[in-house]
């Protein structure tokens, strides 16, 4: 297949993958060639007669596997965002093969022997060398032959099960959509929203990937809310059994590698370092959060006039918010039109703060017609990279929002970054795309990840952009959320989509006054998911779980976070972050990162906010450094001191 577009570097600007040319039949041959080429490159490293040096060993590894990297990047972008039955079959086949390939490199004793002999005086090289050594030890390079054989089996089985979990969830979220025959049952939605849900005379409301579906806040029919909520929490029941098997295999693997459980294994190379550090931080939050949620529940029951159920919470919290603060969140939607949010909000803030500008490139395309591509420039007009935006939900796209790199910045290859943001906004049948405030905030958040990738200035791909610990990666993106409501930015983009009138100042004031309301619910919902993740991954090797749902309830009770009206943001059966994503024993990272975020927001406010010198300082000391140094050292370079939890407690109303 000489014409396979994945075999050679892309000829498009910035080496954007040539999605228009890539067909499904190209992927497997490209994966096979890519794996074979990288193994040959590794063999050349280990077969060298030259003494091991940084360049002929570590840098050589960085230079290896280019076809495989291109192929995996393009393929898994499609898996996440535009999957088909054919793509899912390829994923089932290739995932365990990729795991075997990774093990063949990291369990290569000759390669490991060379890595252990490498020395360097260069600080960035020394940091990367240490990362490689840690990667190999954590991958089992020091285990016996028998232990490595078992480790390979575990890794391959885990890869297969995680893929099955993700595919089950994608199918179940589509199949479990709420279907109603009469539009009257969707009372509470506006006409445009109802029209966007119409399918062959019926109305289909698809599930998003978390427990509390957005529609619960608007739907007036209580039984419809109950049906929607029940569909959400009961989807993909087959995943309970998969979760038990995945957690058990992870525990066994952790034991092989010398750790008491998977949580200890996972946290050891994060900024938290220890299980105790994570549990100490979470322990400070649970009690105040539950107390706040119980007070909120009392207010909701009083507003409703009856004992509420979980599917009533979002609906009546909006009622209480309106009553207490005269604030209706739905009144904001006409002021949040998608294009304007990005052009006059997200891009505007980035220009003010960092001097960068954006030009749309309609000549460049992604894997789907909805993907838009923008070229990004520094203030002096020099090219920075490409930014892609895929805003809409659709069948074949997983839920949630995320950023990924299509090309990693590195001076080693002279490549500039190509980054992509995915959102899951309902596409209107016609007319403008209007967002909720939560969707606006998510868009600013994901663009914070994009900035982290775009501003990378490092030598090696292994430490490019967002290649930092899980409990640090959410920090820059959370900081970027602050600009969504920064007065100068909000005034620039929050304009009525029909009249162009700015959002009334009193509506903004009411929103800000109401922000801390429902923080108890939001914090308990998040902490419950975090502690559920933690419980699954503190299982000791060989510890059995007979009933996943009973385990889930017992874990929440043991953590003193069980509150029937507020279930975890993700239950076990649809907790994709930890059972099919990269966040196993790591969902705590959002709140851990928020400690740094809250500190940083305080710094920006103390130093004048949306100013170029502030953006330049954040870019220079932190965003540009990627994973090329200790991330907490980068934070100290930016903030000037160690972080404190106090700003976070104040933000969430937990003091």
């Amino acid at each position: 297949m000489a014409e396979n577009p994945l075999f050679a570097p892309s000829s498009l600007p910035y080496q954007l993958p040539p999605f228009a040319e890539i067909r499904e039949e190209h992927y497997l041959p490209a994966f096979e060639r890519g794996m074979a080429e990288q193994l040959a490159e590794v063999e050349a490293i280990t077969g060298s007669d030259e003494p091991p040096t940084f360049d002929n060993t570590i840098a050589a590894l960085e230079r290896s596997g280019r076809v495989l990297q291109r192929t995996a990047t393009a393929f898994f972008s499609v898996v996440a965002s535009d999957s088909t039955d054919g793509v899912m079959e390829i994923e089932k086949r290739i995932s365990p093969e990729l795991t075997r390939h990774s093990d063949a490199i990291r369990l290569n004793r000759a390669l490991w022997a060379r890595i252990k002999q490498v020395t360097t005086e260069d600080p960035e090289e020394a940091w990367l060398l240490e990362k490689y050594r840690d990667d190999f030890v954590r991958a089992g390079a020091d285990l016996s032959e028998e232990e490595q054989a078992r480790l390979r089996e575990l890794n391959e089985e885990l890869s297969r099960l995680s893929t099955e979990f993700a595919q089950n969830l994608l199918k179940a979220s589509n199949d479990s959509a709420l279907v109603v025959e009469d539009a009257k049952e969707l009372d509470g939605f506006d006409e445009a929203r109802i029209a966007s849900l119409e399918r062959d005379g019926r109305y289909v409301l698809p599930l998003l990937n978390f427990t509390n579906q957005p529609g619960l806040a608007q739907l007036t029919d209580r039984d419809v809310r109950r049906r929607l909520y029940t569909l959400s929490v009961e989807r993909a029941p087959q995943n309970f059994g998969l979760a038990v098997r995945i957690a058990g295999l992870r525990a066994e693997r952790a034991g092989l590698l010398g750790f008491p459980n998977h949580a200890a294994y996972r946290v050891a190379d994060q900024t938290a370092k220890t299980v105790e550090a994570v549990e100490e931080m979470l322990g400070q939050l649970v009690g105040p959060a539950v107390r706040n949620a119980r007070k909120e529940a009392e207010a909701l029951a009083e507003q409703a006039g009856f004992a509420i159920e979980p599917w009533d919470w979002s609906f009546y919290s909006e009622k209480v918010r309106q009553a207490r603060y005269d604030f209706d969140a739905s009144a904001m939607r006409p002021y949040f039109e998608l294009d304007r949010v990005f052009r006059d909000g997200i891009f505007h803030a980035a220009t003010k703060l960092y001097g960068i500008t954006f030009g749309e490139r309609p000549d460049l395309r992604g894997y789907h017609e909805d993907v838009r591509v923008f070229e990004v420039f520094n203030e002096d007009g020099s090219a920075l990279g490409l930014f892609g935006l895929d805003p809409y939900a659709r069948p074949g796209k997983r839920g949630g929002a995320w950023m990924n790199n299509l090309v990693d910045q590195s001076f080693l290859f002279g490549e500039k970054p190509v980054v992509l943001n995915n959102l899951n906004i309902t596409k209107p049948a016609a007319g403008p795309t209007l967002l909720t405030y939560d969707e606006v905030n998510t868009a600013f958040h994901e663009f914070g990840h994009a900035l982290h990738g775009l501003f990378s200035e490092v030598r090696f791909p292994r430490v490019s952009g967002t290649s930092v610990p899980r409990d640090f990666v959410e920090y820059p993106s959370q900081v970027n959320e602050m600009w969504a409501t920064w007065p100068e930015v909000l005034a620039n983009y929050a304009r009525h989509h029909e009249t162009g009138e700015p959002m009334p100042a009193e509506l903004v004031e009411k929103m800000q006054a109401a922000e801390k309301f429902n923080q108890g619910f939001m914090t308990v919902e998040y902490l419950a998911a975090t502690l559920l993740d933690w419980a699954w991954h503190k299982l000791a090797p060989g510890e059995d779980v007979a009933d996943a749902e009973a385990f889930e309830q017992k874990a929440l009770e043991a953590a003193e976070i069980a509150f029937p009206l507020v279930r975890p943001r993700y239950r076990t059966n649809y907790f994709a972050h930890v059972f099919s994503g990269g966040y196993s024993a790591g969902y705590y990272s959002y709140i851990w990162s928020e400690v740094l975020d809250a500190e940083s927001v305080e710094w920006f406010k103390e130093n004048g906010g949306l100013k170029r010198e502030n953006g330049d300082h954040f870019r220079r000391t932190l965003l540009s450094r990627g994973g090329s140094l200790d991330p907490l050292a980068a934070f100290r370079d930016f903030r000037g001191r160690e972080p404190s939890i106090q700003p976070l407690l104040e933000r969430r109303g937990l003091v």
Side-chain angles (χ1 to χ4, degrees):
M1 296 185 65
E3 76 283 2
N4 191 319
L6 293 165
F7 287 171
S10 170
S11 61
L12 293 175
Y14 303 88
Q15 294 194 39
L16 175 72
F19 289 109
E21 301 173 23
I22 300 171
R23 301 190 301 275
E24 288 182 7
E25 59 264 31
H26 290 139
Y27 288 119
L28 283 176
F31 272 121
E32 290 163 1
R33 175 181 284 197
M35 288 186 284
E37 285 186 1
Q38 188 170 32
L39 291 179
E41 290 162 341
V42 169
E43 187 176 346
I45 295 170
T46 59
S48 172
D49 294 330
E50 297 293 323
T53 65
F54 184 89
D55 186 66
N56 70 21
T57 303
I58 303 302
L61 283 170
E62 287 289 282
R63 289 189 287 264
S64 73
R66 299 290 281 161
V67 171
L68 180 58
Q69 174 65 29
R70 281 197 300 273
T71 304
T73 296
F75 177 72
F76 286 106
S77 295
V78 171
V79 166
S81 304
D82 195 28
S83 194
T84 64
D85 289 343
V87 165
M88 292 171 74
E89 285 303 312
I90 296 170
E91 185 189 19
K92 285 180 183 178
R93 174 174 167 179
I94 203 63
S95 291
E97 290 186 26
L98 290 171
T99 299
R100 286 194 294 271
H101 175 74
S102 177
D103 284 343
I105 295 173
R106 294 191 177 184
L107 300 181
N108 184 315
R109 294 192 183 280
L111 180 60
W112 178 223
R114 287 186 67 90
I115 291 172
K116 287 190 286 188
Q117 296 177 61
V118 173
T119 61
T120 179
E121 298 298 320
D122 179 273
E124 190 170 348
E125 291 180 355
W127 178 257
L128 181 61
L129 174 60
E130 188 58 33
K131 297 299 290 182
Y132 263 92
R133 286 175 173 164
D134 192 46
D135 287 346
F136 272 68
V137 170
R138 290 173 59 80
D142 284 332
L143 297 182
S144 69
E145 292 288 347
E146 182 180 357
E147 289 169 328
Q148 285 190 357
R150 178 56 182 155
L151 185 65
R152 291 172 193 266
E153 293 173 352
L154 291 170
N155 288 341
E156 189 171 335
E157 180 68 359
L158 281 166
S159 175
R160 187 184 67 78
L161 293 174
S162 294
T163 299
E164 186 177 348
F165 187 102
Q167 294 191 355
N168 284 348
L169 180 55
L170 178 62
K171 186 175 187 300
S173 294
N174 290 327
D175 293 348
S176 299
L178 176 70
V179 179
V180 301
E181 304 291 339
D182 190 342
K184 293 179 181 177
E185 292 186 275
L186 299 177
D187 181 60
F189 288 170
D190 59 33
E191 291 182 6
R193 178 81 185 280
I194 293 173
S196 72
L197 302 177
E198 196 271 332
R199 304 285 187 277
D200 299 323
R202 300 188 302 172
Y203 299 88
V204 180
L205 182 60
L207 297 181
L208 300 185
N209 64 331
F210 31 74
T211 295
N212 277 282
Q213 302 297 305
L216 294 171
Q218 292 96 38
L219 292 166
T220 61
D221 188 318
R222 193 181 185 208
D223 187 61
V224 173
R225 294 200 304 270
R226 178 192 61 77
R227 286 157 52 198
L228 176 60
Y229 183 88
T230 302
L231 287 169
S232 179
V233 298
E234 293 183 356
R235 71 185 115 161
Q238 67 273 44
N239 276 355
F240 281 116
L242 288 178
V244 171
R245 292 164 64 191
I246 290 169
L249 293 174
R250 285 173 174 167
E252 182 184 349
R253 182 175 62 184
L256 264 180
L257 294 167
F259 292 90
N261 50 56
H262 183 71
Y265 166 72
R266 285 286 291 166
V267 81
D269 71 340
Q270 303 295 294
T271 63
K273 300 299 183 188
T274 67
V275 166
E276 291 75 20
V278 174
E279 292 179 343
E280 179 183 359
M281 187 265 291
L282 295 176
Q284 296 180 61
L285 302 174
V286 170
V290 172
R291 286 194 295 274
N292 279 13
R294 291 190 184 281
K295 289 178 183 177
E296 290 166 3
E298 292 171 3
L300 301 188
E302 183 179 349
Q303 176 71 30
F306 54 80
I308 65 167
E309 296 288 351
W311 48 85
D312 297 317
W313 189 293
S314 295
F315 184 79
Y316 284 101
S317 70
E318 288 304 313
K319 297 293 185 187
V320 172
R321 204 190 307 265
Q322 290 175 33
R324 284 191 183 179
Y325 305 100
D326 191 26
F327 173 66
D328 179 2
S330 65
M332 303 182 79
R333 288 190 75 234
Y335 298 91
F336 294 148
E337 190 272 323
L338 177 66
D339 283 350
R340 182 161 262 163
V341 167
F342 272 88
R343 183 184 66 247
D344 297 337
I346 292 170
F347 293 169
H348 172 74
T351 300
K352 284 284 188 178
L353 203 56
Y354 306 109
I356 59 176
T357 55
F358 304 80
E360 188 157 10
R361 293 289 303 267
D363 57 312
L364 300 178
R365 58 165 289 184
Y367 44 76
H368 189 276
E369 62 182 9
D370 287 340
V371 178
R372 299 167 64 184
V373 179
F374 299 82
E375 191 167 9
V376 189
F377 302 93
N378 286 304
E379 187 175 34
D380 63 4
S382 61
L384 182 60
L386 291 181
F387 168 71
L389 174 64
D390 183 359
Y392 294 118
R394 56 179 168 267
K397 185 176 185 180
R398 68 177 171 90
W402 64 96
M403 169 268 190
N404 61 293
N405 279 21
L406 296 179
V407 177
D408 292 321
Q409 177 276 330
S410 76
F411 296 133
L412 181 69
F413 293 115
E415 291 178 346
K416 296 183 183 297
V418 178
V419 304
L420 178 69
N421 275 178
N422 268 273
L423 307 175
N424 258 290
I425 298 162
T426 300
K427 190 173 187 177
T433 301
L434 303 180
L435 312 187
T436 65
Y437 173 67
D438 283 345
E439 289 170 336
V440 170
N441 201 59
T442 297
F444 273 84
H445 174 100
E446 295 305 329
F447 192 73
H449 285 305
L451 289 172
H452 203 180
L454 285 167
F455 286 152
S456 178
E457 294 182 11
V458 300
R459 286 167 62 191
F460 303 107
R462 169 67 176 78
V463 293
S464 179
T466 56
S467 299
V468 296
R470 281 288 185 193
D471 58 6
F472 191 84
V473 74
E474 297 299 335
Y475 154 52
S477 55
Q478 289 172 337
V479 171
N480 205 60
E481 294 175 25
M482 72 178 290
W483 308 117
T485 54
W486 194 260
E488 179 185 345
V489 179
L490 188 68
N492 201 58
Y493 77 87
R495 293 179 174 272
H496 198 281
H497 71 99
E498 292 178 335
T499 67
E501 290 295 313
M503 182 182 290
E506 59 268 23
L507 184 57
V508 179
E509 291 166 3
K510 289 173 183 177
M511 177 194 72
Q512 292 172 335
E515 271 187 331
K516 285 189 179 177
F517 178 75
N518 216 36
Q519 278 293 326
F521 170 88
M522 293 171 66
T523 308
V524 167
E525 182 189 49
Y526 166 77
L527 289 174
T530 298
L531 290 160
L532 180 59
D533 166 34
W534 206 244
W536 277 114
H537 294 112
K538 281 192 72 179
L539 289 172
E543 187 174 351
D544 292 328
V545 174
D547 184 327
E549 292 189 78
F551 175 87
E552 180 177 282
Q553 182 61 29
K554 186 177 179 180
L556 297 175
E557 291 170 355
E560 299 183 344
I561 198 77
F563 186 22
L565 293 179
V566 185
R567 298 179 96 160
R569 182 171 174 81
Y570 302 99
R571 292 190 68 207
T572 299
N573 45 320
Y574 47 94
F575 208 163
H577 279 76
V578 304
F579 291 113
S580 60
Y583 279 79
S584 62
Y587 197 62
Y588 78 88
S589 61
Y590 288 92
I591 201 88
W592 186 272
S593 294
E594 196 178 345
V595 172
L596 307 180
D597 159 37
E599 277 270 33
S600 301
V601 169
E602 290 298 307
W603 182 90
F604 273 103
K605 290 179 177 178
E606 290 166 2
N607 288 276
L610 194 72
K611 295 166 60 177
R612 272 298 305 279
E613 54 262 43
N614 290 343
D616 288 345
H617 177 64
F618 194 42
R619 177 177 179 174
R620 181 181 65 256
T621 58
L622 198 141
L623 294 178
S624 67
R625 306 303 300 275
S628 65
L629 79 168
D630 179 348
L632 289 182
F635 174 82
R636 288 191 294 271
D637 289 345
F638 162 69
R639 186 68 176 94
R641 60 173 171 78
E642 297 289 340
S644 164
I645 197 173
Q646 191 64 24
L648 169 65
L649 297 176
E650 292 174 359
R651 170 191 287 186
R652 286 185 171 255
L654 300 178
V655 290

